[in-house]
């Protein structure tokens, strides 16, 4: 069939451009001065026997970062960014990630430790590689690009033709065509994306001699990671591909199928190529990409998208490369790899021709102007080698005093950028911080996480066959449905807590002044707080700490409250300080004191200056995406200052605490202070019991405690419970303004996956 | 202390009027002609060893209905009504509840079966009563009225005095005063509320002779349910009360403390009077009330409230009756009980005096005008005996041809009233019907139910120590928190279902016409439905059942949909009929077909007449408080008729089904048709599996099934899942328009309390 005609005739342009993508990126851990480290793979990344995101390749020092399959490259690159941020923030302080494909400052071979995997076979395989190729060659890193055509596209195409009876055979041949053409024209991608122009001489330690000057890609050349020349595999049919590859393994020339270092690999659901014959090819792995040192995480989105269209072209072309043409393509690749990066390639015309066909294809497909512009840029690069990645790289290397220096500088720069907003996961910054923190921990520990709904903070977690869903960071199947319903209803909460024997302030609600005043006898002599039902910045609240003693005072307080709301509450007043207890299961994990926005005078600076200085804190921001908020200087703050006889220009004496808010919300600039270790354990136990009474697994319990150093007693003057909250905030415990961080997201994971503990 | 002064001085008027109330009402089950039944206590009421609401008293035929403790009499009477509705609707068709205290048409003594309780001691006690009093006397029924003063009131009063050191002693003496004064003046209540003027002669079978003519209260007289005259108990102190009562038991004159038939009993948390000494009196039981045959459930709210104020007066009085005065009070009671109901009582002056003091007290307390009006009415009754309950009763009896006839007529009338709205629990009619149905079943089965929040449909259920909470009829702790969150989010639901391998129609959403049209190729040749994201009465929906074949048709459908909403969905169209599967745990309990509002022509009546006739169905109503809704004849219905070439005045031919709505919602007059037994079991299994995939315990699964008789197959043309709903509606299954009722509320109870199964 003619694929171009079929796509046009049956309007399959969109489907053709859909697909599933995955990126695997190797890179060396290095020190600040660019030397490959000799430390083991960090234990914080958990077990490599199942880690879906953070693996090691050949050596302990060689990270392999893997994005989960995504429907768009934009998503793949978000994941690549997120995984990098996790890794970079988890590495020891003096460790970085090398931006280069070629190793920087190789240690002695004896110091390079082969990846210490659980699977003995995997370790044995690496030992074999050492003896065949030496350790140094295995230290080269690159990017593997996985691509799967849309199943629906392939199915539709199959339905439209008559040549094939078997859909699997049809699919295999489509992927074979794509693969063969790719091998024929792959040199173009090397020309455009190569970035391994040089390496230190010590690398050439097994009879090879370092080539003169710079080349485009040592990695793609015969100096790189390639099989011995005799290893040739047939692409005539999948059957032949399988048989020739198996032949090399049987003959002992390859120790395993995976030692076949082709720039493409056909992949199925299982490990061995023979298994491809049963279920067919599912996707193709492209392995020829050097790390782009100018991209923070080794590859740019526009380049990844260009590669996608290039791969599509390989399927789109009317011809299919023959076995001879494949060999021709490999030769050209080898040649181009060793060209000087600043010279025009000798195959420029073929390159321009193919890129022109790519442009034509994109026009046929109705691709976006942006996509076409990228192709035009690559056409330009075909004419101007100095604008290719490698061209730019060697120009910088020529300027740098030292090849290592550039690598080390970039490595430091990229780590600094990844650490800057350490409380966030930049790529997923439109999700809540708590969900970002949870995802950080999941990626770090190697639990599969799928975003089901980004706006809704809905995640699917999986470890082995065990699936859990999480919404908003800690809403899970561990809580029962009824507990948030209880907590949502303050009346029901109070009844349930009172039933459970907890100290609850009693309250009555009124809808008019006269009913409230008629009930005055019920409150006489009692310490009560009179407040509008929905409190707003403390307006309309009157507190009778010593008990209300006459009806006129009471009436006045009721009237004040009714100015703010249609419903007014009269509630037992509890003397003491409010603390938030974060409970998970049987434990209070964190206790937090929230202080209203404030500054401490120094006798020198004005309130406005003190606020500005306090707002410099890295955790403070304006929007919703920082753990703490900047203190504003609006009407409410000015009113609060006025009550203390101050303006924003006043200079408070040294040590004086100036309050800028009556309410203690973090969202209005309040301070969060961790009190977990200071709080008497008896209150923590009460919080756990309250959580159990609510039937909750995770709960934020607000207790009023007059003296946190004394043990709790069974009376309202010792403590009282104000509220129990489902889906309690986590960020304020993880990133408090003062005191120790409590990484409660890790406890959420432990709760969901106890088998990982 | 002077209680009146204390209340006035410390503004305790409101607290004094607060309290906790409970009503126990005995009554005989009778046949339609008023004969006491000889059938056993209905098994549907479960086990009497724990039933909190429905018990038997002496005989199997003698129901004892018990309201749970409530803070207001209004609530108590709601419960009394609810329990009656449950009982009356659960009784066999030919059984009723006698409205009279005195037995109607007594069977032979040998036919009266003593209540068959599990506890052998309880049965032995009843056998003893038979030998002491005979069976007939035990067949008398009445109302016991339980009252507890507000604890806070008693505590405050205690704090205001100096005489007592021990709060329990203080409380005991307060209740003793109230009890003693009550015994002194109780005859007034007999005068006002007596209603047992006569009984058939056979009742007097142990040497007594039936008195001439009518009396006020046989039940309160020596013909009634009284101890032998020698049994005298001291009320001087709680100690003496306990000791004298124990004396009679020890001496064998009483077989047990409960054989002491005083009109008041002091009650504590435990069973034996001696235990009162430790923890003190908690409440008082008043036992002298005849059933009011004119009240549907034996007592009127205004009378119950009057009794409350009368009891308060007994505490309010400045004096406390001496032992002699108590005896005097008992004598007067005995005399008044035997007065003719139409004669003025010989103690009228004392009655008026006490009622006057009651009025004064209420004025002092600032009681409502309504409450005071009731007292004035009772003062009037003191002057006009013919206006008392018993006065009215004997006048009616004199008119009736037969004493039984009146009782039978009232019993039938009250049962008919209780059955009329058989889908509701009238007293709790401002709650959802499903919660009413659940409460019905809970009361029937004897599980304690407490309403935590009436507006929020929040119940607390308790059986033994086992507590469960229920909101909106089926939201419980059995569901996990995450499942409603999954179901709430349609995108997440689809992903989770697709992951689970269920047939899900795929859909894409668009925010503008051009994006949608650009995606046309994805939908070409596919059966799709194009609709506004939030569908409203089917407006803006286009269905391409045979597949969309050209882009112009597609664009037009998209434009139509965008007229109705800002977001438009293009979804796989599923051919077939939508069914609702109600799943609980491992079982599909009910399958329902919802048909749009319709009438079937008969060739004679107009559409409007057919609608009017269909709207006569007892389940159809206008508001939210009927299981089905009346069919409207508004704009939408007329439009729908127009499309069929009809108006509301058209006379459709016989058998023609005329649709009045496009949507099948029950809320717009749709029919609900039970399909549970017809649906092929394979679909029911799928619904259960979908529920499990949602992690839900209770779920409403909407499946599209083209042919419910054929087994399900694993392709979208065999079935597809449209939605999974948490908190699924129950009423439409319990009260379908056609087909069998599925009482799913009982399964909810079984799920929560498996120990009861």
């Amino acid at each position: 069939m003619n694929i171009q005609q079929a796509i046009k005739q049956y309007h399959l342009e969109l489907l053709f451009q859909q697909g599933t993508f995955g990126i695997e990126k190797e890179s060396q851990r290095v020190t600040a001065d660019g030397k490959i480290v000799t430390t083991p793979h960090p234990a914080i990344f958990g077990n490599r026997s199942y880690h879906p995101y953070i693996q090691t390749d050949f050596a302990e020092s060689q990270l392999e970062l893997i994005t989960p399959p995504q429907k768009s490259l934009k998503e793949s690159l978000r994941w690549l960014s997120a995984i990098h941020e996790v890794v970079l923030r988890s590495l020891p302080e003096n460790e970085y990630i090398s931006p280069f494909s070629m190793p920087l400052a190789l240690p002695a071979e004896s110091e390079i430790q082969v990846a210490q995997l659980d699977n003995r076979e995997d370790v044995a395989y690496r030992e074999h590689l050492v003896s065949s190729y030496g350790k140094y060659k295995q230290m080269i890193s690159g990017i593997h690009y996985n691509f799967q055509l849309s199943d629906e596209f392939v199915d539709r195409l199959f339905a439209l033709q008559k040549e094939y009876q078997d859909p699997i055979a049809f699919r295999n041949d489509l992927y074979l065509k794509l693969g063969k053409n790719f091998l024929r024209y792959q040199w173009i991608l090397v020309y455009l994306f190569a970035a391994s122009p040089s390496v230190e001489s010590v690398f050439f330690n097994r009879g090879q001699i370092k080539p003169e000057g710079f080349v485009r890609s040592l990695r793609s050349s015969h100096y790189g990671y390639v099989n011995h020349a005799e290893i040739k595999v047939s692409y005539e049919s999948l059957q032949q591909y399988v048989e020739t590859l198996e032949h090399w393994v049987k003959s002992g020339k390859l120790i395993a199928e995976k030692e076949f270092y082709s720039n493409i690999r056909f992949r199925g659901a299982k490990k061995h190529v023979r298994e491809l014959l049963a279920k067919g090819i599912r996707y193709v792995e492209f392995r020829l990409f050097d790390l782009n040192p100018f991209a923070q995480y080794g590859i740019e989105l526009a380049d990844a998208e260009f590669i996608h269209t290039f791969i599509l072209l390989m399927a789109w072309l009317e011809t299919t490369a023959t076995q001879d043409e494949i060999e021709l393509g490999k030769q050209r690749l080898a040649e181009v790899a060793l060209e000087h990066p600043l010279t025009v390639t000798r195959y420029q015309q073929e390159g321009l021709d193919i890129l022109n066909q790519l442009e034509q294809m994109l026009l046929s497909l109705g691709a976006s102007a942006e996509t076409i512009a990228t192709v035009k840029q690559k056409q330009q690069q075909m004419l101007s080698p100095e604008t290719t990645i490698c061209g730019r790289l060697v120009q910088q290397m020529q300027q740098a005093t030292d090849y290592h220096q550039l690598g080390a500088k970039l490595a430091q720069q990229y780590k600094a950028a990844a650490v800057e907003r350490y409380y966030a996961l930049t790529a997923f910054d439109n999700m809540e911080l708590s969900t970002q923190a949870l995802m950080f921990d999941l990626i770090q520990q190697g639990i599969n996480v799928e975003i089901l709904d980004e706006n809704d903070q809905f995640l699917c977690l999986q470890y082995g066959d065990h699936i859990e869903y999480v919404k908003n960071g800690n809403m899970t199947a561990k809580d029962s449905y009824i507990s948030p319903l209880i907590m949502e209803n303050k009346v029901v909460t109070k009844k349930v807590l009172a039933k459970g024997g907890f100290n609850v302030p009693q309250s009555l609600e009124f809808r008019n002044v006269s009913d409230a005043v008629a009930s005055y006898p019920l409150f006489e002599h009692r310490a009560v707080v009179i407040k509008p039902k929905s409190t707003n910045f403390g307006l309309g609240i009157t507190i009778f700490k010593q008990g209300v003693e006459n009806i006129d005072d009471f009436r006045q307080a009721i009237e004040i409250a009714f100015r703010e709301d249609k419903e007014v509450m009269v509630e037992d007043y509890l003397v003491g300080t409010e603390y938030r207890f974060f409970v998970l299961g049987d434990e209070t994990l964190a206790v937090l004191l929230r202080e209203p926005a404030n500054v401490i005078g120094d006798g020198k600076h004005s309130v406005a200056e003190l606020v500005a200085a306090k707002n410099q804190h890295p955790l403070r921001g304006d929007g919703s995406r920082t753990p703490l908020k900047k203190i504003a200087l609006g009407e409410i703050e000015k009113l609060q200052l006025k009550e203390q006889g101050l303006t924003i220009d006043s200079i408070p004496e040294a040590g004086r605490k100036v309050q800028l808010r009556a309410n203690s919300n973090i969202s209005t600039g309040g301070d969060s202070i961790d009190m977990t270790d200071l709080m008497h354990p008896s209150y923590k136990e009460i919080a756990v019991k309250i959580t159990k009474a609510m039937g909750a697994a995770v709960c934020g319990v607000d207790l009023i405690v007059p003296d946190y150093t004394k043990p709790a007693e069974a009376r309202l003057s010792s403590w009282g419970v104000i509220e129990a909250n489902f889906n309690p905030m986590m960020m304020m415990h993880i990133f408090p303004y003062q005191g120790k961080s409590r990484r409660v997201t890790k406890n959420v994971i432990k709760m969901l996956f106890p088998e990982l503990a």
Side-chain angles (χ1 to χ4, degrees), chain A:
Chain A
M1 83 184 306
N2 183 312
I3 190 171
Q4 298 186 18
Q5 274 180 15
I7 289 173
K8 283 180 205 160
Q9 188 175 345
Y10 299 103
H11 307 298
L12 303 180
E13 294 87 348
L14 275 176
L15 273 186
F16 179 52
Q17 292 174 79
Q18 291 182 355
T20 305
F21 306 86
I23 287 172
E24 294 164 32
K25 184 214 173 216
E26 305 151 349
S27 42
Q28 294 287 352
R29 283 185 291 126
V30 293
T31 59
D33 52 359
K35 285 190 185 128
I36 290 175
V37 303
T38 53
T39 55
H41 184 67
I44 200 167
F45 298 132
N47 194 321
R48 279 169 275 177
S49 68
Y50 61 76
H51 208 301
Y53 306 119
I54 304 168
Q55 286 286 349
T56 42
D57 201 74
F58 169 75
E60 274 295 279
S61 60
Q62 193 172 22
L63 291 163
E64 184 184 359
L65 308 182
I66 304 160
T67 66
Q70 297 294 314
K71 293 288 177 197
S72 86
L73 281 160
K74 198 174 159 198
E75 289 304 309
S76 299
L77 268 80
R78 286 175 90 188
W79 276 95
L80 193 64
S81 152
I83 296 167
H84 270 91
E85 284 189 355
V86 171
V87 170
L88 284 165
R89 292 182 204 157
S90 305
L91 287 182
E93 210 187 324
N94 64 338
E95 292 196 7
Y96 301 81
I97 293 180
S98 168
F100 289 146
S101 275
M102 297 309 286
L104 275 176
L106 281 160
E109 276 210 305
S110 61
E111 279 182 51
I112 296 177
Q113 202 181 14
V114 160
Q116 299 299 296
L117 303 172
D118 287 353
N119 187 334
R120 280 160 166 255
E121 216 179 285
D122 290 338
V123 177
Y125 172 68
R126 280 166 174 73
E127 298 296 349
H128 159 80
L129 296 180
V130 171
S131 66
S132 292
Y133 306 90
K135 282 182 178 173
Y136 284 173
K137 203 157 271 186
Q138 299 295 331
M139 300 295 273
I140 302 175
S141 299
I143 280 180
H144 299 180
Y145 183 109
N146 296 298
F147 173 65
Q148 176 178 356
L149 288 160
S150 148
D151 274 344
E152 200 182 335
F153 169 73
V154 180
D155 291 349
R156 289 254 221 143
L157 217 53
F158 173 73
L160 294 170
Q161 55 81 51
K162 284 172 182 166
E163 201 177 332
Y164 292 82
Q165 303 305 310
D166 175 17
I168 294 178
F170 176 77
R171 171 151 42 85
N172 289 341
D173 280 1
L174 184 58
Y175 277 117
L176 274 173
K177 174 191 176 187
L178 182 158
K180 286 191 268 191
N181 285 339
F182 185 89
L183 289 170
R184 172 64 186 83
Y185 298 114
Q186 58 181 332
W187 70 263
I188 296 170
L189 298 183
V190 167
Y191 173 84
L192 292 170
F193 299 116
S196 48
S198 185
V199 72
E200 58 192 340
S201 311
V202 69
F203 176 81
F204 303 92
N205 64 348
R206 288 170 78 99
Q208 287 184 329
I209 297 161
K210 182 179 177 175
E212 277 294 316
F214 292 118
V215 301
R216 295 198 199 278
S217 181
L218 281 173
R219 180 173 167 278
S220 288
S221 76
H222 65 90
Y223 296 105
Y225 205 62
V226 292
N227 294 117
H228 294 284
E230 63 180 321
I231 310 287
K232 290 206 170 84
V233 163
S234 166
Y235 293 90
E236 276 308 309
S237 69
L238 188 59
Q239 186 76 30
Q240 285 186 43
Y241 172 79
V242 170
E243 281 170 9
T244 48
L245 184 47
E246 284 181 338
H247 159 76
W248 292 114
V249 176
K250 267 180 217 143
S251 71
K253 300 281 181 179
L254 296 177
I255 194 175
E257 288 166 4
K258 63 181 166 183
E259 197 188 340
F260 176 53
Y261 297 139
S262 174
N263 278 342
I264 66 165
R265 273 186 188 164
F266 298 112
R267 308 297 297 257
K270 303 209 180 158
K271 216 172 163 182
H272 292 289
V273 286
R274 176 149 296 274
E275 287 152 349
L276 286 178
L277 295 177
K279 298 257 177 167
I281 299 168
R282 300 300 311 168
Y283 67 98
V284 188
E285 183 180 350
F286 302 92
R287 299 158 55 87
L288 49 55
F289 303 101
D290 289 355
L291 300 183
N292 176 355
F294 303 118
Q296 196 171 349
Y297 302 127
I299 187 167
E300 299 286 3
L301 177 58
D303 288 345
E305 287 176 340
F306 172 82
I307 292 163
H308 174 213
T309 61
F310 187 88
I311 294 167
L312 291 181
L313 179 69
M314 300 301 105
W316 173 268
L317 289 176
E318 295 196 350
T319 56
T320 302
T322 62
Q323 195 69 23
D324 286 345
E325 286 167 336
I326 291 172
E327 291 307 321
L328 179 70
K330 285 171 150 184
Q331 272 173 38
R332 294 197 171 175
L333 170 78
E335 290 173 57
V336 170
L338 290 178
E339 289 173 343
H340 192 282
L342 297 177
T343 62
V344 163
T345 176
R346 74 199 66 170
Y347 302 112
Q348 190 191 50
Q349 194 45 55
E350 181 173 285
L352 287 170
D353 180 45
I354 289 294
L355 292 180
N356 185 45
Q357 289 190 53
L358 178 54
E359 186 183 347
Q360 293 311 311
M361 176 190 83
L362 292 174
L363 289 168
S364 283
L365 296 176
S368 72
E370 214 178 344
T371 307
I372 292 167
T374 304
V375 175
K376 288 201 175 291
Q377 187 198 43
K378 301 300 174 198
Q379 287 168 347
Q380 191 52 47
Q381 288 180 7
M382 196 53 80
L383 301 170
S384 315
E386 71 283 2
T387 61
T388 60
I389 295 170
C390 206
R392 287 158 59 207
L393 181 58
V394 297
Q395 289 173 78
Q396 289 207 17
M397 280 182 175
Q398 283 163 346
Q399 286 159 18
T401 51
D402 185 354
Y403 160 63
H404 290 156
Q405 222 182 29
L406 179 63
K409 195 187 84 184
L410 290 170
Q412 288 177 46
Q413 183 183 314
Y414 296 155
K415 181 167 179 176
V419 169
E420 194 185 355
R421 292 178 63 246
Y422 57 95
Y423 49 82
L425 206 53
T426 310
F428 297 108
D429 214 15
N430 51 346
M431 297 181 85
E432 291 174 0
L433 283 176
S434 56
T435 296
Q436 293 178 47
L438 181 67
M439 284 185 68
F440 184 101
D441 295 342
L442 290 165
I443 292 172
Q444 190 184 57
Q445 290 182 43
I447 295 167
N448 267 295
V449 51
E450 182 186 344
I451 300 169
L452 296 180
D453 189 330
E454 196 160 334
N455 294 327
D456 218 17
Q457 326 290 325
F458 222 123
L459 306 181
C460 176
L461 279 42
Q462 183 161 10
Y463 171 67
D465 291 336
H466 178 177
I467 290 178
E468 294 283 351
Y469 299 96
V470 181
K471 188 175 179 311
N472 297 86
N474 61 29
M475 305 206 284
T476 72
K478 298 295 162 186
D479 270 303
S480 86
Y481 186 9
I482 202 75
S483 32
L485 298 174
I486 292 173
M487 291 189 249
E488 226 166 49
N489 185 316
K490 299 301 163 204
V491 176
V492 171
T493 300
K494 274 194 179 179
K495 285 188 182 174
V496 172
L497 288 174
K499 236 180 232 289
F502 298 99
N503 297 343
V504 187
Q506 290 306 307
S507 63
L508 284 179
E509 283 156 33
F510 300 98
R511 287 171 186 276
N512 59 64
V513 173
S514 61
D515 278 3
V517 173
S519 296
Y520 167 72
L522 299 178
F523 305 110
E524 195 170 34
H525 311 311
R526 280 167 83 155
V528 291
V529 49
I530 295 169
K531 56 185 177 187
K533 199 173 173 192
S534 37
T535 53
N536 232 336
F537 311 116
L539 293 176
I541 297 182
T542 307
I543 299 174
F544 293 95
K545 290 190 190 183
Q546 312 301 331
V548 49
E549 296 300 343
N550 79 70
I551 195 164
D552 293 330
D553 293 353
F554 184 80
R555 180 184 289 113
Q556 198 182 354
I558 291 287
E559 283 166 356
I560 289 169
F562 268 112
R563 280 179 214 149
E564 307 297 330
D565 200 346
K566 286 175 188 168
E567 265 189 88
V568 161
M569 289 175 77
V570 183
E571 191 175 57
D572 284 336
Y573 172 70
L574 302 186
V575 184
T577 307
E578 183 182 336
Y579 299 92
R580 160 60 61 90
F581 291 67
F582 185 96
V583 179
L584 186 148
D586 294 325
E587 207 185 337
T588 292
L589 297 176
V591 182
L592 201 86
L593 167 63
R594 282 167 289 187
E595 284 208 340
N598 67 81
V599 288
I600 310 282
D602 60 2
K604 290 173 196 160
H605 294 92
S606 70
V607 169
E609 287 165 342
L610 293 166
V611 165
K614 189 161 181 171
N615 282 348
Q616 289 305 306
H617 193 284
L619 292 179
R620 289 195 194 264
D622 288 318
S624 60
R625 295 302 184 232
T626 50
L628 295 172
K629 301 294 164 264
K630 291 195 170 167
I631 301 170
L633 282 177
E635 285 308 311
I636 297 169
E637 288 81 5
K638 285 175 187 165
L639 211 69
Q640 189 70 29
L641 285 171
K642 199 176 168 190
E643 280 181 29
Q644 298 160 81
L646 298 170
T647 71
I648 60 167
D649 299 319
S650 310
I651 297 177
E653 61 267 36
R656 176 175 175 187
K657 186 179 226 169
V658 175
Q659 226 161 277
L660 288 134
R661 277 277 183 165
N663 64 307
S664 61
N665 303 50
I666 302 299
S667 60
T668 53
D671 292 344
S672 49
I673 300 166
D674 179 68
M675 298 286 288
T676 315
D677 296 332
L678 296 171
M679 181 63 60
H680 192 280
S682 53
Y683 302 102
K684 297 189 210 173
E685 280 164 32
I686 287 166
V688 170
K689 282 180 190 156
I690 288 171
T691 300
K692 297 237 177 284
M694 293 284 109
V698 180
C699 188
V701 179
D702 293 334
L703 295 186
I704 297 281
V705 178
D707 186 346
Y708 65 78
T709 64
K710 286 189 192 146
E713 292 175 47
R715 48 189 173 76
L716 206 50
S717 57
S718 166
W719 62 273
V721 48
I722 296 290
E723 256 186 32
N725 303 277
F726 62 95
N727 190 219
M729 282 178 66
M730 301 196 283
M731 287 316 276
M732 59 188 184
H733 302 292
I734 300 179
F735 297 111
Y737 180 63
Q738 277 170 34
K740 207 166 145 184
S741 161
R742 310 286 166 174
R743 189 90 194 177
V744 292
T745 40
K746 291 209 173 181
N747 299 80
V748 172
I749 296 172
K750 219 193 267 175
M751 170 181 79
L752 294 174
F753 296 96
E755 67 269 40
L756 276 170

